[in-house]
Amino acid sequence: MQGSRLVAILIFDGVDLLDVTGPPEVFALLGRDLKKDPGYRVQLAAETLDPVTTGAGVRLIPDVAFSDIAERRIDTLIVPGSVTIDREHRIHPVIDPAVVAWVRRLAYRSRRVASVCVGAHLLAEAGLLEGKRVTTHWSTARQLATRYPGVDVDPDPIFIRQGNVWTGAGITACLDLALALVAEDFGEHAAMGVARQLVMYLKRPSGQSQFSVPIEPAYTSRRMDDLRHYVTTNLHQKITMTELAAHAHIGERQLTRIFKEETGMTPAAYVETARIELARNRLEATEETLPRIATACGFGSTDTLIRVFRKRLGVTPSEYRRRFRHAG
């Protein structure tokens, strides 16, 4: 790459720390892998040069003010996000009008723009996502789609590229997004080299699901905790509603109500989710064949295992293993 590429990362009070620090690590490790300077020049930009306190409480020192960087040509503009949590424990993205105005202005000085996690809300408010297919963290995807009906929100992929605009999903997906930017600049081989240094084993493709499979929430009742334990220790065999109800000494209607209240799922959906979680662990950590995993996890057949993985995770078990198999 000839010359240098200015990577401007916007920071503001409450910004998610990993959103900010993840991409620079990827760019720095590229130089180590290439054994030469790749040319990226990362600068943290803020409204003033005063320290910025992140959501994690760590203070960052800006390198440059928004007004100064607005006069320069930016190669990559990275927009991280910030959230607040209300009394009902609901997550809301922070949308500061002043930051949005600078995002809009700086975007037109940039070769490409990338949001990390809920930073997509700032791009949307700046009018940069209209008519585009985008992603964001799954917890705020519905809010993004509701507030900006002209934006096609897909909460599943790790990241999405639409022209020169990139949007990334959950916080750690900032690494996947940064690797994709490296791949665009230097090729897939270079990006894979950085992924190995990050001990990521694999560079996940944009179509990779966020794979959020909640299986161990904090339960509010001893009965639910006992049911969870019973399910997880009996996944190798058929588990029926009648059997679960009898184990808990309650009726099937009450069993369904308890599961929906405490897990948000029906008993059948919870059991299937637990089977998926166990299958994922075996695919990642063992060399077991698909028929053996299907039997051990209670799917009954390889066809059922494949069908459930495609429906719930968007990939086949073999594809999942190739992407997430533990090294060594």
Side-chain angles (χ1 to χ4, degrees):
M1 178 172 54
Q2 299 297 321
S4 64
R5 297 192 180 197
L6 173 60
V7 178
I9 303 178
L10 305 193
I11 60 174
F12 40 86
D13 283 335
V15 69
D16 287 327
L17 180 61
L18 189 57
D19 287 5
V20 176
T21 60
E25 286 292 339
V26 171
F27 301 140
L29 287 173
L30 175 63
R32 183 187 303 175
D33 197 61
L34 294 177
K35 296 182 175 59
K36 65 178 181 180
D37 183 0
Y40 292 117
R41 296 292 178 266
V42 178
Q43 291 198 321
L44 304 183
E47 192 157 10
T48 71
L49 296 182
D50 294 333
V52 168
T53 303
T54 67
V58 176
R59 296 203 306 170
L60 301 173
I61 306 298
D63 298 301
V64 65
F66 291 152
S67 56
D68 293 329
I69 207 168
E71 305 303 319
R72 301 167 61 185
R73 182 61 183 171
I74 302 170
D75 180 77
T76 305
L77 179 68
I78 296 180
V79 181
S82 175
V83 299
T84 59
I85 301 177
D86 63 23
R87 294 182 178 179
E88 303 299 323
H89 304 291
R90 292 171 299 195
I91 297 174
H92 302 279
V94 174
I95 304 175
D96 184 332
V99 174
V100 170
W102 280 111
V103 168
R104 186 182 298 114
R105 180 175 174 182
L106 295 174
Y108 291 109
R109 302 284 301 175
S110 306
R111 178 176 69 91
R112 62 187 175 191
V113 180
S115 66
V116 181
C117 200
V118 298
H121 292 260
L122 296 173
L123 296 192
E125 187 69 14
L128 301 176
L129 301 184
E130 192 70 18
K132 291 181 169 61
R133 176 172 167 266
V134 307
T135 193
T136 187
H137 192 277
W138 57 265
S139 65
T140 67
R142 181 174 296 179
Q143 296 177 58
L144 184 64
T146 300
R147 180 162 180 165
Y148 308 100
V151 178
D152 180 11
V153 181
D154 185 345
D156 198 44
I158 292 294
F159 61 87
I160 293 175
R161 178 188 181 182
Q162 293 276 275
N164 71 330
V165 176
W166 303 64
T167 51
I171 296 176
T172 57
C174 68
L175 301 176
D176 299 281
L177 178 59
L179 285 169
L181 298 178
V182 166
E184 181 183 46
D185 295 340
F186 290 90
E188 289 288 341
H189 182 74
M192 289 296 291
V194 177
R196 285 192 295 270
Q197 290 192 62
L198 288 166
V199 200
M200 290 176 69
Y201 308 116
L202 294 166
K203 185 177 75 66
R204 296 184 290 182
S206 64
Q208 175 70 55
S209 170
Q210 294 188 40
F211 288 117
S212 175
V213 184
I215 194 65
E216 296 286 352
Y219 296 115
T220 58
S221 70
R222 181 172 297 178
R223 174 176 283 163
M224 188 64 232
D225 190 61
D226 180 60
L227 281 167
R228 178 200 63 79
H229 179 73
Y230 181 84
V231 167
T232 55
T233 54
N234 289 279
L235 289 175
H236 60 286
Q237 59 189 20
K238 186 176 181 180
I239 302 175
T240 66
M241 282 274 290
T242 301
E243 183 181 352
L244 282 175
H247 178 77
H249 305 292
I250 56 177
E252 292 185 18
R253 182 174 297 178
Q254 186 179 0
L255 177 76
T256 299
R257 179 179 59 78
I258 289 173
F259 265 88
K260 286 188 174 180
E261 286 179 354
E262 300 207 33
T263 72
M265 292 181 275
T266 65
Y270 181 87
V271 170
E272 183 178 81
T273 299
R275 296 192 196 282
I276 292 172
E277 184 70 9
L278 179 59
R280 287 176 58 213
N281 290 339
R282 287 177 177 258
L283 288 166
E284 292 173 7
T286 76
E287 294 290 352
E288 292 177 336
T289 63
L290 294 189
R292 185 178 180 85
I293 291 175
T295 299
C297 299
F299 287 106
S301 70
T302 303
D303 288 343
T304 301
L305 172 66
I306 293 172
R307 176 178 56 79
V308 171
F309 259 64
R310 280 178 170 163
K311 180 183 73 172
R312 295 287 295 274
L313 301 182
V315 295
T316 67
S318 295
E319 290 169 339
Y320 183 91
R321 170 172 270 167
R322 283 196 297 270
R323 295 174 185 178
F324 292 98
R325 175 76 175 93
H326 291 179

